[in-house]
Amino acid sequence: MDRIKILVVEDQTIVALNIKNKLKNLGYDVPCTAVSGEEAIKEAELKKVDLVLMDIMLKGNMDGIEAARIIKSRFGIPVIYLTACTDCETLERAKATEPEGYISKPFKEEDLCETIEAALLKNRLIRKT
């Protein structure tokens, strides 16, 4: 069986590398990372990923919420927000994109794994109907 491919969207290189290493330790494939919303959209399409871990605050003209909205609507790829942003306005905007999960930084590896597996299961069940 193919390994699950996850796109990590994070504009801080060290944080992205840390997340990528944790995901690989958990048995996931991370074919690429992206630092902007625009790059995330392009990579989601090119790499045919199964899931996107999306930081909300990104460099560039597009934040993670807008990028997630586009990725979900164009490609049907589930998105989990992985962010330090927890203010009410940001959370409301993020909820409007119907993410499969939301993990606050800093996070535990087991929380990451549980949220990813739940999101993948939910996505498989939705596609069956």
Side-chain angles (χ1 to χ4, degrees):
M1 184 172 167
D2 291 334
R3 289 179 11 160
I4 298 297
K5 293 188 289 187
I6 299 177
L7 167 62
V8 175
V9 185
E10 168 63 63
D11 61 357
Q12 295 180 27
T13 306
I14 299 214
V15 175
L17 184 59
N18 183 19
I19 295 168
K20 182 177 181 175
N21 288 335
K22 286 182 184 201
L23 291 171
K24 286 187 171 192
N25 288 340
L26 291 168
Y28 301 109
D29 185 22
V30 183
C32 61
T33 60
V35 298
S36 69
E38 296 85 357
E39 184 181 4
I41 294 165
K42 182 180 85 176
E43 293 295 347
E45 181 177 25
L46 292 174
K47 301 294 195 252
K48 306 286 189 229
V49 297
D50 301 296
L51 182 107
V52 177
L53 281 179
M54 178 76 71
D55 189 13
I56 289 179
M57 304 306 279
L58 299 171
K59 294 177 181 165
N61 297 325
M62 182 185 300
D63 69 5
I65 296 171
E66 180 61 17
R69 185 190 65 73
I70 292 169
I71 288 169
K72 286 185 63 122
S73 67
R74 283 191 194 166
F75 314 119
I77 300 170
V79 174
I80 296 172
Y81 290 115
L82 183 62
T83 186
C85 293
T86 56
D87 65 273
C88 289
E89 183 180 329
T90 301
L91 289 175
E92 287 303 312
R93 284 187 59 231
K95 284 192 324 189
T97 66
E98 300 178 0
E100 278 64 33
Y102 193 98
I103 302 173
S104 295
K105 293 179 191 173
F107 59 88
K108 295 178 184 171
E109 196 169 286
E110 53 270 11
D111 293 337
L112 183 62
C113 183
E114 290 169 6
T115 304
I116 289 170
E117 289 302 314
L120 292 169
L121 176 62
K122 177 183 171 186
N123 193 51
R124 279 193 297 271
L125 293 173
I126 289 170
R127 289 180 182 225
K128 282 185 177 181
T129 59

